[in-house]
Amino acid sequence: MYQGFYNLTSGMLTQNRNLNVISNNMVNIQTPGYKRDKMVSTTFQEEMLYRTGKRYKENPEPLATTSKIRTADRTYVSYEQGGFEDTEGIFDFALSGEGFFVIDTPNGTAYTRNGSFRVDDEGYLCLNSVGRVQGAGGQPIQIDNENFTVSSRGVISVVETEGEGDEEGGEVETTVRELGTLRVVNFEDLEQLHKEDYGVYTTNQAAQDVENPSILWKMLERSNVDMMEEMTSMITAQRALQSAAQVLKMYDQVMSKAASDVGRL
């Protein structure tokens, strides 16, 4: 009887934590570059069940292993590639394949797949509420001319002309000026990345520059959250939580009866 309290209570706590993970995925379904979380549960305090005779206890026969407590083991992050959305925004970038953008924050360097950038008051490319986007060489990228283009390798450049043409064939000089190159890095072990707020990650690992990144301009990577899958998981977790709560209530009623009514006999 008492073991049932452990089983049911630990199950309710575990399902509640699972619902928190699922709800966070659903809230961030529209967050560019968001990677879904998945909670994995485990058990502990396992015990072996044996069958013995009523009178003779020699040579017990093992039956099965049971556990009293279920708990959350850890939360995994799925880094599966999300789909792409054409936004036509000049400050929108998407990564196709591996890698992360590098962001300089007040608390250090962070990494993200969210390429929904903007320009701050000083003209530097930044991720809203996080920090400035780091370019090649570790320097921020300043946008002083919005008539720029971006190559698939992340080179941001602007075409400038000098001189004016006239009817007599005046010369016009055209030059290409690079504003900066988006830095894209990757890591040996993605499991060591720690997810922070605003869709960014931090880690103590050394970042490795991606030599030939594939960057899509005027596009964003959608989150890899499947709404149907998350809804199914949420319903399953809710039903398990409600069932455990109902059975736990029955256990409490039985124990009350045993203490109040049966105890008088």
Side-chain angles (χ1 to χ4, degrees):
M1 178 65 72
Y2 291 105
Q3 179 173 335
F5 282 102
Y6 287 106
N7 291 336
L8 295 169
T9 304
S10 63
M12 290 176 61
L13 292 173
T14 302
Q15 292 301 336
N16 188 59
R17 293 172 182 171
N18 190 27
L19 284 171
N20 290 336
V21 173
I22 294 172
S23 61
N24 185 63
N25 288 336
M26 296 175 68
V27 167
N28 286 282
I29 193 170
Q30 296 296 332
T31 302
Y34 177 81
K35 302 304 178 185
R36 66 183 293 265
D37 294 322
K38 183 175 179 62
M39 193 199 76
V40 178
S41 60
T42 185
T43 59
F44 66 92
Q45 195 174 343
E46 295 185 346
E47 298 175 348
M48 177 65 76
L49 296 180
Y50 291 89
R51 180 170 60 190
T52 62
K54 293 182 179 179
R55 183 173 300 178
Y56 302 102
K57 307 298 183 181
E58 295 84 359
N59 302 320
E61 180 183 354
L63 295 179
T65 301
T66 184
S67 59
K68 291 185 177 181
I69 298 178
R70 186 176 185 85
T71 185
D73 183 15
R74 59 173 300 183
T75 300
Y76 291 90
V77 180
S78 171
Y79 292 98
E80 181 181 358
Q81 176 81 62
F84 298 106
E85 178 182 358
D86 191 351
T87 65
E88 292 300 323
I90 62 173
F91 299 119
D92 290 339
F93 304 88
L95 282 172
S96 177
E98 63 181 17
F100 297 85
F101 296 114
V102 185
I103 309 296
D104 289 326
T105 75
N107 298 321
T109 305
Y111 310 92
T112 185
R113 297 278 298 189
N114 184 357
S116 181
F117 301 144
R118 68 178 185 87
V119 172
D120 63 16
D121 296 337
E122 297 181 14
Y124 288 96
L125 196 64
C126 69
L127 181 62
N128 193 28
S129 301
V130 180
R132 290 176 176 175
V133 180
Q134 192 177 109
Q139 300 300 317
I141 300 174
Q142 188 172 29
I143 306 295
D144 56 14
N145 188 333
E146 294 187 356
N147 295 319
F148 59 83
T149 59
V150 182
S151 70
S152 61
R153 296 294 179 261
V155 180
I156 304 174
S157 57
V158 59
V159 177
E160 297 178 338
T161 58
E162 295 182 1
E164 297 182 358
D166 52 28
E167 296 180 355
E168 298 180 357
E171 295 184 357
V172 177
E173 294 184 1
T174 301
T175 58
V176 178
R177 179 168 61 92
E178 291 188 3
L179 302 180
T181 302
L182 293 169
R183 186 186 180 195
V184 179
V185 300
N186 204 15
F187 304 94
E188 290 185 0
D189 186 6
L190 296 181
E191 294 298 330
Q192 295 186 32
L193 296 180
H194 184 267
K195 183 179 285 190
E196 307 284 354
D197 294 334
Y198 304 105
V200 301
Y201 303 85
T202 57
T203 182
N204 293 325
Q205 296 181 84
Q208 302 174 351
D209 289 299
V210 178
E211 294 184 359
N212 296 309
S214 180
I215 298 177
L216 306 178
W217 184 36
K218 296 183 180 181
M219 299 185 74
L220 289 175
E221 180 188 4
R222 294 192 295 265
S223 70
N224 62 355
V225 177
D226 187 331
M227 179 58 77
M228 294 300 296
E229 182 178 348
E230 297 300 323
M231 286 291 292
T232 302
S233 299
M234 182 184 68
I235 293 172
T236 302
Q238 284 181 332
R239 288 179 176 175
L241 178 60
Q242 292 170 355
S243 298
Q246 290 295 328
V247 177
L248 190 62
K249 184 178 180 180
M250 294 171 58
Y251 267 50
D252 183 61
Q253 293 173 350
V254 171
M255 294 299 294
S256 297
K257 283 284 187 179
S260 60
D261 298 343
V262 180
R264 299 196 190 117
L265 301 179

